């Protein structure tokens, strides 16, 4: 049980910033090693570091014995001894050092919902079929099966061309990096590190990658968006129990993204990276350097797509309005990670807590932020955890942000019931992804919502953040009611309740777009033959393995839908920038509510309408449909456009790429004449049934 009294005093708002991020200051100030923050002063860690000028980076690294892991100009990922952290931060050349994280893992009808058929069928609707050929798709995730049939091409050859994986060390407690570039050797490896050694032996990345780039099963089921793209994969260990979990921090993600981007530049191919991972930081300001670094890695032909997160149903955000006395009941589920609580206000806060964990002894804690030195208060050592409190960088509007952290010790699992009384002279905001308000009094004037639940890196400006549109119901979401009827409470045709929402820490709207992420079938582990999510299994000749396909749910599944579609757009125009992609999405997505908004973004992505826009093919013509005619196939031959399946007498209007109608006719004997039209690309409107694209002559 925790009882917290919060007193907020009005003070002059100052622009408080810190050179060391909150995570680094906590690591240095915590007197008790814990299972998640247990580095000692003799350890070296990797961090993001920004210096004033790019030319200073090598000298700063040399002066403090740092190893430069990744160079992004005046930002670098460096390895540094904890003993040197404070000295380096005090150097006037150093602007900021940052380490934040704790990332977690966040197809049949999908292709129909995002209008894929006109893009991938290879009919005459477009001048060619778009399948992601000559485009790289990177998957940064945990747990993949390299030799799953969905990742082979039509000739049975592997499509992985480079992977960054991990191998266990001799003690089995940590891992070392390994890079493979031989496709045959990659497939022979069979499973990535997290599939073989991590807790639960996850195959999350297999499912995600299958949605983006999978070729599907032999009978054509479960095909991904870009089935002919080449695949890059980086193993990102997100196991919170692992001793090498620091790989799942912001600096590690920057290195993984940079590795893929550098390889794409070397190969002179466009790349889209899918990240179905995230961390929830609410309105914390501690990720500014992370955001800037990721932004530098994107550009022409360098796109990042990321899952918005699945915390939308948690209602983690609370605003007291003008209420000065608020009582809150909070709960925190069992977890090995720290319980973090954020407060945003114009003043200082006194926190008096009586903490009773599920397993442990009650302990009183008294934190007064007015007594902070260098943004920190002394940590309190409790039986199964440590308690600490710090000030973060101020919010963009100048409000102060304070964070209280309850960190479990090694071997401890935290669970709390928290009774909190907040007494203030001004309103305050509260956010916690781990200690959620269950009730509060008074109710008048107070609000609770899913605001600020958007995950990183989906929240970043140069990353395409994707929400989860509920297109269908998972089999295990049905139940039998009292009348013996099979029913479900899940509503389809709307955004999934769990899909996380913006705004971002600096006030921007997220997600950018949405895609089907509910009940998505894709590939999974050969040997997982049973389970509620298994939709199909097939024996593999000459093997005891089984070709397995499973059905899963979340923004983790929605994100690769968008990544695969972006790969198709990159095939059409390899130099697309993140801003270009966002502009295409905003012009062509199908809104499901007023836009812009922090719930569904621009709406549901439309692969075909977006491709028309990317190619610049008369997308501004109001009379031109943004979908193909159903049941009609087109063929150009002998100076004629044949429309098989169209009714005789159907009106046909042909536009050039400038949007000018160059021919108006009707279907007569199954075709219209193209005589007199010069070579080029044209848009064809067939009555009110839809539009298609044709190409006359060769180029």
């Amino acid at each position: 049980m925790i009882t917290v009294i919060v007193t907020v005093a009005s003070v002059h708002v100052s622009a408080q910033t810190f050179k060391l991020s909150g995570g680094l200051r906590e690591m240095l100030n915590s007197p008790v090693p814990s299972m998640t923050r247990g580095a000692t002063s003799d350890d070296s860690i990797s961090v993001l570091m920004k210096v004033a000028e790019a030319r200073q980076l090598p000298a700063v690294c040399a002066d403090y014995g740092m190893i430069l892991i990744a160079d992004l100009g005046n930002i670098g990922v460096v390895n540094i001894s904890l003993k040197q952290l404070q000295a380096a931060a005090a150097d006037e050349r150093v602007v900021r050092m940052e380490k934040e994280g704790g990332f977690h893992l966040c197809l049949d009808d999908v292709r129909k919902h995002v209008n894929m058929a006109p893009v991938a069928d290879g009919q005459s609707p477009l001048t060619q079929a778009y399948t992601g050929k000559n485009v790289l798709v990177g998957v940064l995730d945990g747990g993949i099966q390299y030799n799953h049939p969905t990742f082979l091409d039509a000739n049975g050859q592997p499509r992985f061309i480079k992977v960054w994986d991990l191998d266990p060390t001799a003690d089995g407690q940590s891992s070392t990096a390994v890079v493979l570039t031989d496709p045959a050797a990659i497939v022979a490896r069979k499973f990535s590190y997290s599939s073989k050694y991590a807790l639960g032996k996850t195959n999350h990345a297999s499912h995600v990658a299958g949605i983006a780039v999978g070729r599907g099963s032999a009978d054509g089921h479960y095909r991904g968006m870009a089935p002919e793209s080449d695949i890059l994969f980086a193993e990102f260990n997100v196991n919170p129990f692992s001793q090498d979990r620091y790989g799942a921090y912001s600096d590690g993600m920057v290195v993984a993204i940079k590795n893929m981007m550098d390889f794409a530049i070397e190969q002179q191919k466009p790349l889209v990276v899918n990240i179905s991972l995230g961390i929830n930081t609410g309105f914390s300001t501690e990720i500014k350097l992370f955001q800037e670094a990721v932004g530098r890695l994107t550009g022409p032909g360098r796109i990042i797509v990321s899952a918005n997160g699945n915390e939308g149903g948690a209602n983690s955000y609370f605003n007291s309005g003008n209420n000065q006395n608020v009582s809150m009941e909070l709960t925190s589920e069992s977890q090995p990670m720290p319980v973090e609580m954020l407060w945003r206000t114009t003043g200082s806060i006194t926190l008096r807590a009586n903490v009773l964990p599920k397993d442990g002894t009650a302990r009183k804690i008294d934190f007064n932020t007015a007594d902070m030195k260098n943004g920190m208060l002394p940590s309190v050592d409790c039986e199964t955890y440590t308690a600490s409190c710090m000030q973060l960088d101020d919010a963009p509007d100048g409000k102060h942000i304070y964070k209280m952290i309850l960190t479990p010790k090694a071997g401890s699992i935290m669970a709390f019931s928290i009774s909190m009384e907040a007494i203030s002279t001004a309103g305050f905001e509260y956010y916690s992804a781990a200690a959620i308000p269950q009730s509060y009094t008074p109710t008048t004037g107070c609000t609770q919502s899913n605001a600020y639940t958007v995950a990183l890196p989906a929240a970043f400006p140069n990353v395409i953040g994707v929400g989860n549109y509920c297109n269908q119901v998972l089999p295990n979401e049905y139940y039998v009611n009292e009348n013996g009827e099979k029913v479900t409470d899940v509503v389809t045709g709307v955004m999934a309740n769990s899909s996380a929402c913006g705004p971002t820490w600096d006030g921007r709207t997220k997600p950018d777009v949405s895609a089907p992420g509910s009940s998505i079938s894709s590939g999974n582990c050969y040997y997982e033959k049973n389970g509620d999510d298994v939709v199909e299994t097939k024996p593999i000749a000459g093997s005891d393995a089984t070709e397995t396909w499973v059905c899963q749910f979340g923004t983790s599944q929605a994100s690769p839908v968008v990544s695969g579609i972006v790969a198709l757009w990159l095939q059409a125009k390899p130099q697309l920038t993140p801003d270009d992609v966002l502009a295409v999405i905003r012009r062509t997505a199908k809104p499901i509510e007023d836009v812009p908004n922090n719930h569904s973004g621009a709406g549901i992505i439309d692969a075909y309408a977006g491709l028309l826009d990317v190619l610049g093919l008369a997308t501004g013509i109001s009379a031109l449909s943004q979908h193909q005619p159903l049941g009609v196939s087109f063929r150009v031959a002998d100076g004629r456009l044949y429309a098989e399946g169209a009714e005789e007498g159907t009106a046909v209007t042909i536009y050039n790429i400038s949007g000018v109608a160059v021919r108006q006719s009707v279907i007569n004997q199954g075709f219209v004449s193209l005589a007199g039209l010069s070579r080029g690309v044209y848009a064809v409107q067939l009555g009110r049934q839809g539009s298609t694209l044709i190409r006359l002559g060769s180029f």
Side-chain angles (χ1 to χ4, degrees), residues 92-111:
E92 62 181 10
R93 296 170 295 179
V94 174
V95 177
R96 181 172 173 82
M97 303 179 80
E98 187 175 292
K99 187 181 187 75
E100 300 298 314
F103 288 91
H104 53 269
L105 302 171
C106 319
L107 284 162
D108 306 311
D109 287 340
V110 173
R111 296 170 67 86

Side-chain angles (χ1 to χ4, degrees), residues 167-176 193 197 242-244:
D167 277 338
T169 55
D171 60 11
Q173 298 299 310
S174 59
S175 61
T176 58
Y193 177 86
Y197 304 106
S242 172
Q243 292 189 16
D244 57 357

Side-chain angles (χ1 to χ4, degrees), residues 112 136 188 225 236 249 282 331 420 435 466 574 617 679 698:
K112 177 182 71 176
L136 299 173
M225 304 297 110
F236 206 64
Y249 275 68
T331 61
M420 179 180 294
V466 184
L617 294 168
R679 70 178 186 178
S698 58

Side-chain angles (χ1 to χ4, degrees), residues 527-540:
Y527 298 94
E528 186 174 341
K529 302 177 184 179
N530 302 302
D532 293 339
D533 57 354
V534 174
V535 294
E536 187 174 355
T537 60
K538 296 180 179 180
I540 298 176

Side-chain angles (χ1 to χ4, degrees), residues 391-428:
Q391 183 177 358
L392 308 182
D393 284 4
D394 285 349
D397 62 2
K399 289 182 179 178
H400 299 316
I401 301 177
Y402 302 101
K403 180 166 70 170
M404 179 176 175
I405 315 105
L406 305 177
T407 305
K409 294 181 179 179
S412 296
I413 302 295
M414 303 252 292
F416 296 91
S417 294
I418 307 172
S419 295
M420 179 180 294
E421 184 181 9
I423 304 172
S424 65
T425 57
F428 63 86

Side-chain angles (χ1 to χ4, degrees), residues 563-612:
S563 295
I565 290 172
V566 170
L568 307 179
W569 296 352
L570 285 170
Q571 182 183 356
K573 192 173 183 180
Q575 292 301 304
L576 287 174
T577 68
D579 285 343
D580 293 335
V581 173
L582 285 170
V584 171
I585 284 171
R586 289 163 184 160
R587 289 192 294 263
T588 63
K590 296 175 284 190
I592 58 175
E593 54 192 313
D594 291 340
V595 295
N597 63 77
N598 283 305
H599 191 216
S600 61
I604 310 304
I605 193 167
D606 188 315
Y608 179 57
L611 186 56
L612 288 176

